Amino acid sequence: MIILSGIQSSGRLHLGNYYGAIRQFLEFQDEEVALYFIANLHALNSVRDGKQMRELTQDVAMSYLALGLDPARAILFRQSDVPEHAELFWILGSVVPLADLMNAHSYKDKVARGQSADFGLFAYPILMAADILIYNSHVVPVGQDQRQHLELARDWASKFNRVYVPGYRPDDPEGLRGGTPGVLRLPEARILESTAVVPGTDGQKMSKSYDNTIELFGSDKAVKKAIMGITTDSTPVEEPKPVAGSALYGLLKLMAPAADFAEIDRRWRAGGEGYGVFKKELLDLFHATFDAARARHDELSKDPGAVERVLQDGAQRARSLAAEQMARVRRAVGV
Ligand code: ADP
Ligand code: TRP
């Protein structure tokens, strides 16, 4: 199977990115082809400074490698190094109904949160669909918030095939029952439901746009400050602590091994200990879970040349796959 996923280089990675997305990407590395890319073209919609863009792109690459992406098994590359993504974006865009984009909720959400209402943001789902379809991907592991984008990618692939592939039958997209197979394969989303939403330090969804993140590769001091600053209520030390809506409880549940969490849960409900004790435990869990990756990240940051070589090599491998698919698309549309 061909597995593909991308992550924007629009900020430093946080716990929400890891538990909501990256952790499961890495589980697919042993599939026949696993492609992971840094969506820097998508990030242009929010990062408007060239120097910062280069730094963030490099940082996301290092973060993937530090968290266990193995370039011997998976292909890691920068979206902008494979121009076929942008080329398919345009061709696909010619069959995309405007109404689909107008109904897409991520555009509306992002504009509501203050991002500027530019064409790039509006057209974002088409580029994302092109990212997926250019490799004939079977499965796309993503966070919950990307579900609609995957549905759109399927709809548009199907429409493209109906328009351009004579004999294509939408009820037989792979041509297994007598129809002609499509040029574009309909991808499937793989969504991890259990950690659908990781809470941030203020109890809302953890997100860099809410300034409530715990960064995976922040300094020890910054991590401590974020964890010790998690919002809690004023339940007195001796009383049982409420569970519903508590970010601290949610994060402990996410990070503690299930066997240890049962005991944490019991103490939480029993009362007698203050929130500070539980915050300290979360901090210890954070370090136990991520210190090995944090050390690798430090090492990689001393050797940017090595990271660059991984990206260049990845781009070359990705390009040879994308070029084949692009040739089929060009042939189908007659350009
Ligand atoms: P942010 O909200 O910080 O801007 P992104 O939108 O760049 O994060 O998210 C990248 C990936 O990480 C997405 O697939 C998304 O589903 C996942 N993700 C981000 N924040 C969370 C969270 N709080 N809980 C679960 N998954 C998350
Ligand atoms: N939109 C995705 C996000 O914000 C990133 C992304 C871009 C992506 N292109 C993709 C994810 C293709 C999967 C497949 O998380």
Side-chain angles (χ1 to χ4, degrees), residues 212-225:
N212 64 357
T213 62
I214 300 170
E215 286 185 10
L216 296 172
F217 301 105
S219 66
D220 287 355
K221 200 169 147 209
V223 169
K224 184 167 182 191
K225 185 161 174 246

Side-chain angles (χ1 to χ4, degrees), residues 85-97:
H85 290 234
E87 190 178 354
L88 182 58
F89 158 78
W90 181 258
I91 294 178
L92 188 65
S94 64
V95 299
V96 167

Side-chain angles (χ1 to χ4, degrees), residues 58 61-62 65 78 299-313:
Q58 178 83 3
M62 285 193 306
L65 293 168
R78 272 181 296 246
E299 284 304 307
L300 288 165
S301 60
K302 290 180 206 139
D303 193 0
V307 177
E308 185 58 30
R309 280 192 296 281
V310 169
L311 292 174
Q312 300 266 345
D313 175 61

Side-chain angles (χ1 to χ4, degrees), residues 63-297:
S63 303
Y64 266 114
L65 293 168
L67 290 166
L69 188 143
D70 175 5
R73 290 184 285 160
I75 302 176
L76 177 67
F77 64 102
R78 272 181 296 246
Q79 187 182 29
S80 60
D81 285 344
V82 183
E84 285 81 1
H85 290 234
E87 190 178 354
L88 182 58
F89 158 78
W90 181 258
I91 294 178
L92 188 65
S94 64
V95 299
V96 167
L98 196 55
D100 286 359
L101 295 177
M102 301 211 282
N103 291 329
H105 57 64
S106 93
Y107 174 78
K108 289 185 239 173
D109 293 350
K110 286 185 172 166
V111 171
R113 284 202 250 154
Q115 221 166 304
S116 70
D118 296 325
F119 172 76
L121 191 61
F122 189 61
Y124 181 115
I126 310 179
L127 180 59
M128 178 159 165
D131 296 337
I132 297 167
L133 303 173
I134 194 69
Y135 298 103
N136 260 318
S137 312
H138 292 94
V139 170
V140 183
V142 281
Q144 170 75 11
D145 56 341
Q146 300 296 317
R147 185 187 292 278
Q148 192 186 36
H149 289 148
L150 262 294
E151 280 161 15
L152 292 171
R154 287 175 66 89
D155 289 351
W156 300 335
S158 174
K159 173 148 182 221
F160 179 95
N161 291 336
R162 285 199 309 276
V163 171
Y164 284 114
V165 181
Y168 177 78
R169 294 197 336 229
D171 61 345
D172 181 22
E174 308 269 338
L176 300 175
R177 284 176 277 116
T180 309
V183 167
L184 301 179
R185 172 175 286 133
L186 274 51
E188 246 176 71
R190 191 67 54 83
I191 293 164
L192 195 78
E193 303 288 349
S194 58
T195 48
V197 178
V198 176
T201 54
D202 60 356
Q204 294 187 79
K205 174 193 163 187
M206 185 177 288
S207 169
K208 59 187 165 283
S209 24
Y210 299 151
D211 208 11
N212 64 357
T213 62
I214 300 170
E215 286 185 10
L216 296 172
F217 301 105
S219 66
D220 287 355
K221 200 169 147 209
V223 169
K224 184 167 182 191
K225 185 161 174 246
I227 290 182
M228 290 314 202
I230 293 172
T231 309
T232 47
D233 64 14
S234 53
T235 308
V237 171
E238 60 279 6
E239 283 184 24
K241 308 290 179 287
V243 165
S246 168
L248 180 55
Y249 180 86
L251 289 167
L252 282 164
K253 186 166 183 187
L254 182 69
M255 295 201 63
D260 301 347
F261 184 71
E263 179 56 16
I264 294 173
D265 181 56
R266 191 197 59 74
R267 288 167 39 220
W268 183 276
R269 291 168 197 271
E273 289 173 279
Y275 284 123
V277 175
F278 291 104
K279 287 182 178 176
K280 180 73 187 32
E281 268 180 61
L282 184 65
L283 183 62
D284 291 344
L285 274 169
F286 177 90
H287 284 293
T289 312
F290 293 111
D291 274 359
R294 287 161 61 80
R296 281 196 293 276
H297 190 272

